[in-house]
Amino acid sequence: SVELAIPALFCSLGGIHAFAGPFVVPGVTACYMCSRMRAVAAAENYEEAMAAERFFDSCKQSSFAQREFLPTSLSLLASLLATEVFKYIVLKYQPALAGTVVEFDPITLEFTRHAILEQPHCPVCRKKKLPRVAISDSTSSSWSDQNGPDRCTP
Protein backbone atom coordinates (compact mmCIF):
# COMPACT_ATOMS: atom_id res chain seq x y z
CA SER A 1 0.00 0.00 0.00
CA VAL A 2 2.66 2.51 1.04
CA GLU A 3 5.11 1.52 -1.68
CA LEU A 4 2.50 1.82 -4.44
CA ALA A 5 0.77 4.85 -2.84
CA ILE A 6 -2.57 3.04 -2.80
CA PRO A 7 -4.94 3.42 0.17
CA ALA A 8 -5.71 0.20 2.05
CA LEU A 9 -8.22 -0.73 4.74
CA PHE A 10 -7.37 -3.48 7.22
CA CYS A 11 -9.39 -5.57 9.65
CA SER A 12 -8.97 -8.55 11.92
CA LEU A 13 -11.20 -11.02 13.73
CA GLY A 14 -10.02 -13.22 16.55
CA GLY A 15 -11.61 -14.70 19.62
CA ILE A 16 -14.36 -12.40 20.75
CA HIS A 17 -12.79 -9.22 19.40
CA ALA A 18 -13.13 -7.60 15.99
CA PHE A 19 -10.72 -4.90 14.84
CA ALA A 20 -11.64 -2.43 12.08
CA GLY A 21 -8.79 -0.37 10.70
CA PRO A 22 -6.48 1.20 10.20
CA PHE A 23 -7.42 2.89 6.96
CA VAL A 24 -3.92 3.56 5.58
CA VAL A 25 -3.67 6.52 3.22
CA PRO A 26 -0.02 6.81 2.14
CA GLY A 27 1.38 10.25 2.86
CA VAL A 28 -1.49 11.00 5.25
CA THR A 29 -1.62 8.29 7.94
CA ALA A 30 0.71 5.86 9.65
CA CYS A 31 1.23 2.53 7.88
CA TYR A 32 -0.10 -0.90 8.86
CA MET A 33 3.28 -1.87 10.35
CA CYS A 34 2.98 1.10 12.74
CA SER A 35 -0.39 -0.24 13.91
CA ARG A 36 1.02 -3.73 14.46
CA MET A 37 3.98 -2.31 16.40
CA ARG A 38 1.57 -0.36 18.62
CA ALA A 39 -0.64 -3.42 19.19
CA VAL A 40 2.33 -5.53 20.28
CA ALA A 41 3.75 -2.79 22.50
CA ALA A 42 0.36 -2.28 24.19
CA ALA A 43 -0.28 -5.98 24.79
CA GLU A 44 -0.58 -7.22 28.36
CA ASN A 45 2.20 -9.73 27.75
CA TYR A 46 4.74 -8.23 25.33
CA GLU A 47 6.81 -11.42 24.92
CA GLU A 48 3.75 -13.51 24.08
CA ALA A 49 2.41 -10.90 21.63
CA MET A 50 5.80 -10.59 19.93
CA ALA A 51 6.11 -14.37 19.65
CA ALA A 52 2.66 -14.53 18.02
CA GLU A 53 3.63 -11.77 15.56
CA ARG A 54 6.81 -13.63 14.62
CA PHE A 55 4.90 -16.89 14.20
CA PHE A 56 2.22 -15.38 11.94
CA ASP A 57 4.88 -13.49 9.97
CA SER A 58 6.82 -16.70 9.38
CA CYS A 59 3.71 -18.35 7.90
CA LYS A 60 3.89 -15.86 4.99
CA GLN A 61 0.14 -16.22 4.43
CA SER A 62 -3.04 -15.24 6.19
CA SER A 63 -4.30 -17.78 8.70
CA PHE A 64 -7.49 -15.93 9.60
CA ALA A 65 -9.61 -18.66 8.00
CA GLN A 66 -8.47 -21.09 10.69
CA ARG A 67 -9.01 -18.72 13.63
CA GLU A 68 -12.10 -18.85 15.77
CA PHE A 69 -14.28 -15.78 16.11
CA LEU A 70 -17.80 -14.86 17.14
CA PRO A 71 -19.85 -15.17 13.92
CA THR A 72 -22.03 -12.12 14.64
CA SER A 73 -18.94 -9.92 14.61
CA LEU A 74 -18.39 -10.63 10.92
CA SER A 75 -21.46 -8.74 9.68
CA LEU A 76 -20.77 -5.78 11.96
CA LEU A 77 -17.16 -5.58 10.79
CA ALA A 78 -18.21 -5.86 7.14
CA SER A 79 -20.70 -3.00 7.60
CA LEU A 80 -18.10 -0.75 9.20
CA LEU A 81 -15.57 -1.41 6.44
CA ALA A 82 -18.09 -0.98 3.62
CA THR A 83 -19.18 2.36 5.08
CA GLU A 84 -15.58 3.57 5.26
CA VAL A 85 -14.89 2.61 1.65
CA PHE A 86 -18.12 4.26 0.49
CA LYS A 87 -17.30 7.47 2.37
CA TYR A 88 -13.77 7.59 0.95
CA ILE A 89 -14.47 6.61 -2.68
CA VAL A 90 -17.96 7.98 -3.33
CA LEU A 91 -18.56 10.80 -0.84
CA LYS A 92 -14.89 11.87 -0.71
CA TYR A 93 -15.11 12.20 3.09
CA GLN A 94 -12.28 11.58 5.48
CA PRO A 95 -12.51 7.98 6.69
CA ALA A 96 -13.15 7.67 10.43
CA LEU A 97 -10.63 4.82 10.46
CA ALA A 98 -7.82 6.95 8.97
CA GLY A 99 -4.98 6.45 11.42
CA THR A 100 -7.32 4.62 13.79
CA VAL A 101 -8.23 1.10 14.83
CA VAL A 102 -11.64 0.46 16.34
CA GLU A 103 -11.90 -2.58 18.59
CA PHE A 104 -15.34 -4.10 19.06
CA ASP A 105 -16.19 -6.45 21.92
CA PRO A 106 -19.50 -8.15 21.04
CA ILE A 107 -19.95 -9.48 24.59
CA THR A 108 -19.99 -6.03 26.23
CA LEU A 109 -21.04 -4.15 23.06
CA GLU A 110 -18.15 -1.73 23.62
CA PHE A 111 -16.22 0.06 20.93
CA THR A 112 -12.72 1.22 21.80
CA ARG A 113 -10.86 3.60 19.51
CA HIS A 114 -7.06 3.36 19.26
CA ALA A 115 -5.11 6.15 17.54
CA ILE A 116 -2.23 4.96 15.37
CA LEU A 117 0.75 7.26 15.17
CA GLU A 118 3.74 6.85 12.90
CA GLN A 119 6.39 4.97 14.84
CA PRO A 120 9.85 6.56 14.70
CA HIS A 121 11.59 3.23 14.05
CA CYS A 122 9.04 1.81 11.60
CA PRO A 123 10.95 0.14 8.75
CA VAL A 124 8.14 0.81 6.23
CA CYS A 125 7.75 4.52 7.01
CA ARG A 126 11.52 5.06 7.23
CA LYS A 127 12.14 3.37 3.88
CA LYS A 128 9.41 5.29 2.08
CA LYS A 129 9.59 8.87 3.34
CA LEU A 130 6.40 10.45 2.05
CA PRO A 131 5.37 14.03 2.72
CA ARG A 132 2.98 14.15 5.68
CA VAL A 133 -0.36 15.87 5.15
CA ALA A 134 -2.32 17.22 8.11
CA ILE A 135 -5.91 15.99 8.34
CA SER A 136 -8.56 17.51 10.53
CA ASP A 137 -10.53 15.63 13.19
CA SER A 138 -13.84 16.40 11.52
CA THR A 139 -15.42 13.52 9.63
CA SER A 140 -18.41 15.56 8.50
CA SER A 141 -16.56 17.85 6.14
CA SER A 142 -15.52 16.78 2.69
CA TRP A 143 -12.09 15.18 2.41
CA SER A 144 -11.54 16.91 -0.93
CA ASP A 145 -12.33 20.31 0.60
CA GLN A 146 -9.52 19.78 3.14
CA ASN A 147 -6.86 18.17 0.98
CA GLY A 148 -7.68 19.08 -2.60
CA PRO A 149 -9.48 16.97 -5.20
CA ASP A 150 -6.48 14.79 -6.05
CA ARG A 151 -6.31 13.34 -2.50
CA CYS A 152 -9.47 11.27 -2.98
CA THR A 153 -8.64 9.47 -6.17
CA PRO A 154 -7.94 5.82 -5.37
Side-chain angles (χ1 to χ4, degrees):
S1 168
V2 173
E3 188 174 312
L4 298 175
I6 297 173
L9 179 56
F10 298 90
C11 68
S12 175
L13 284 170
I16 62 168
H17 292 271
F19 298 90
F23 198 127
V24 175
V25 181
V28 178
T29 66
C31 72
Y32 180 71
M33 177 64 80
C34 289
S35 73
R36 294 308 313 143
M37 290 169 61
R38 183 190 189 286
V40 170
E44 286 183 33
N45 185 332
Y46 173 80
E47 288 79 20
E48 185 178 297
M50 194 63 206
E53 277 300 306
R54 285 190 183 115
F55 170 76
F56 291 125
D57 185 52
S58 70
C59 293
K60 300 296 180 203
Q61 63 181 354
S62 174
S63 61
F64 288 120
Q66 290 81 30
R67 294 188 194 175
E68 295 180 1
F69 61 90
L70 194 62
T72 55
S73 298
L74 187 57
S75 60
L76 177 72
L77 187 60
S79 296
L80 286 171
L81 299 176
T83 300
E84 287 295 279
V85 170
F86 183 80
K87 284 184 343 187
Y88 183 74
I89 303 272
V90 177
L91 300 178
K92 309 238 187 266
Y93 278 19
Q94 173 183 330
L97 293 175
T100 302
V101 171
V102 173
E103 177 181 3
F104 173 64
D105 184 338
I107 305 301
T108 63
L109 299 180
E110 291 179 336
F111 284 89
T112 307
R113 193 177 204 91
H114 306 280
I116 306 298
L117 303 174
E118 187 176 316
Q119 301 296 312
H121 301 293
C122 175
V124 175
C125 293
R126 193 174 342 136
K127 183 169 60 172
K128 195 75 175 171
K129 278 296 181 193
L130 296 170
R132 307 311 287 172
V133 177
I135 55 176
S136 92
D137 292 334
S138 172
T139 57
S140 62
S141 60
S142 172
W143 177 274
S144 61
D145 290 346
Q146 296 169 8
N147 295 304
D150 58 326
R151 275 285 178 215
C152 292
T153 51

